Amino acid sequence: MGTDTQKHATIHRTGLRRRPIGLFGGAALAVAGTAALIINLGAPAAFAAEAPVGLGAVASYSVLGGETVTNTGLTVLDGDLGTTPGSAITGFPPGIVGGTTRVEAAAADAKASLLVAYDDARSRATTASVAGDLVGQTLVGGVYTASGPLAVSGTLTLDAQGDPNAVFIFQAASTLITASSSRIALLDGASSCNVYWQVAESATLGTNSRFTGTIMALQSISVTTGTRVDGRALARNGQVSLQSNVFQSTTCVTAPLIGTPTDTATPPGTGTPTDGGTGGPGTPTDGGTGGPGTPTDGGTGGPGTPTDGGPGTPR
């Protein structure tokens, strides 16, 4: 009998000892399950990239005016030229139109597409707010909204970060004015075909500047002497004035990917065919990524002669 009592007591104590272990085990399973859920869910998804603004029938145009289009000097358009509901186009020739010139009803479908594209660009959700002069900034793909005028007094860089489909949309609630010799530069795969400027009033591009993107202005657009536009000047209601300009509209201007050699790829730690690399990351124009080399063969560094990539005097 005593033995049975001792066995019962032993079993009872063993059960008491095991209950806490069971509780902690359950907690561990719960924690493990939560961790597994977190792992399965992963990090929050990145925001979806912006889709291009659909230009429709106006995509073939370099210049479209609402009232009229005027030109002074030898302006060259690689795309179509038009105006509607106005019909007056002056200065062609001497200006050259690579596409077709259309006025009034013939340009009506392009005007309709411009209205849709303008409203599309204006309605996009804001990625970030910007204001005033954008000079010196480097912006990645997204929608940039200004509650007032926008300006570019020097260089603005648009960085696609290796994504050739990156879209840049600028929403200006007032005017857009760029300075003389200013530049909208493209970096790391950015394309002129994916840059859009929705301007609620008028736009003016400074002399001898280089502008990138499609301007869709509610009122007028003035492109001053010597300015190159990699894109389009599309005015809904006002005139477009041109002065010895060059427009590239029908093909995209695309920046090379950073670190991509211009001809022959080289492994990390070596020079490049174009500059014999000097270490560190390369650039869009030379692709250099590594150590010492030579201009003749992108050598691999180390002792050597001018003919094999080693230190020495290049040939």
Side-chain angles (χ1 to χ4, degrees), residues 75-226:
T75 289
V76 179
L77 311 179
D78 73 338
D80 296 340
L81 168 66
T83 182
T84 188
S87 60
I89 295 178
T90 62
F92 293 89
I96 298 172
V97 180
T100 303
T101 299
R102 301 183 179 92
V103 299
E104 295 181 325
D109 56 345
K111 182 63 170 289
S113 292
L114 174 57
L115 299 180
V116 173
Y118 180 95
D119 290 342
D120 179 11
R122 182 179 60 178
S123 67
R124 297 293 181 99
T126 301
T127 300
S129 295
V130 292
D133 194 350
L134 301 179
V135 64
Q137 296 190 43
T138 297
L139 302 177
V140 298
V143 180
Y144 296 92
T145 304
S147 59
L150 281 178
V152 182
S153 64
T155 298
L156 166 65
T157 301
L158 306 181
D159 184 358
Q161 298 184 314
D163 179 9
N165 297 313
V167 171
F168 302 80
I169 299 174
F170 294 87
Q171 303 166 330
S174 180
T175 58
L176 169 66
I177 299 176
T178 69
S180 297
S181 302
S182 61
R183 184 176 179 228
I184 311 297
L186 302 176
L187 180 65
D188 202 9
S191 170
S192 61
C193 289
N194 292 330
V195 182
Y196 309 89
W197 302 81
Q198 177 263 315
V199 182
E201 294 182 10
S202 297
T204 301
L205 306 184
T207 59
N208 298 315
S209 59
R210 182 158 184 172
F211 187 83
T212 299
T214 294
I215 302 175
M216 297 175 286
L218 184 62
Q219 300 302 331
S220 63
I221 301 173
S222 177
V223 187
T224 58
T225 304

Side-chain angles (χ1 to χ4, degrees), residues 261 264 266-283 286-302 309-311 314:
T264 305
T266 57
T270 69
T272 68
T274 56
D275 70 356
T278 56
T283 67
D286 67 7
T289 57
T294 71
T296 57
D297 67 358
T300 56

